[in-house]
Amino acid sequence: MSVLILGLLIFLGAHSLRIFANDWRSRQIARLGEKRWKSLFALTSIIGFVLICWGFGLARQQPVLLYAPPLALRHLNALFTLIAFVLFFAARVPHNRIKAKLHHPQVLAVKVWAFGHLLATGMLHDVVLFGAFLLWAIVLFAVSRRLDRRAGTTYPAGTLKGDVVTIVIGVVVWAIFACWLHLWLIGVNPMG
């Protein structure tokens, strides 16, 4: 469990600089230059992510059951995950009304993904992983919206075409992930 927690601290810590140390972050970008900052950020994120994956795998070898969710929640999680995939791509597809309305759909994708997985799983390592991501996403979303209001940030209006492209990509990638990649990468069949 300690490797998982270390990975979460590194990964989420790096991704929390805007929450807890935005002025320091801005000074470092100015001092190092944007390219070097992004390189260091990416390296830190990769290290944290690798530790999360490794630590989660280790923790799964010694499972501690906290609660046994009903089977129906696994199916509900499939819906939450589908929504999370659409939100994830809403952050990337230009000119969609989802991003125009929600402003930070990728952070919301993490919230929905983590919440759905907390409903569907009940092991200690699951609660640590998904609970940490859920808490982080809740705080980051609130801070990001507050920073947007303070800066007067506006998001361009979306179009129906942007919405359709976002939803189609999200559904297709979700289906591929749910039907094949989740089992191959995680070792769990979410549809089984």
Side-chain angles (χ1 to χ4, degrees), residues 170-192:
V171 169
V172 168
V173 175
W174 169 82
I176 292 167
F177 196 81
C179 294
W180 297 288
L181 288 179
H182 197 279
L183 177 61
W184 183 63
L185 293 171
I186 315 296
V188 175
N189 182 0
M191 303 310 246

Side-chain angles (χ1 to χ4, degrees), residues 95-106:
H95 311 296
N96 69 78
R97 289 180 284 202
I98 299 168
K99 183 172 184 173
K101 178 75 174 166
L102 301 175
H103 301 185
H104 300 280
Q106 182 169 327

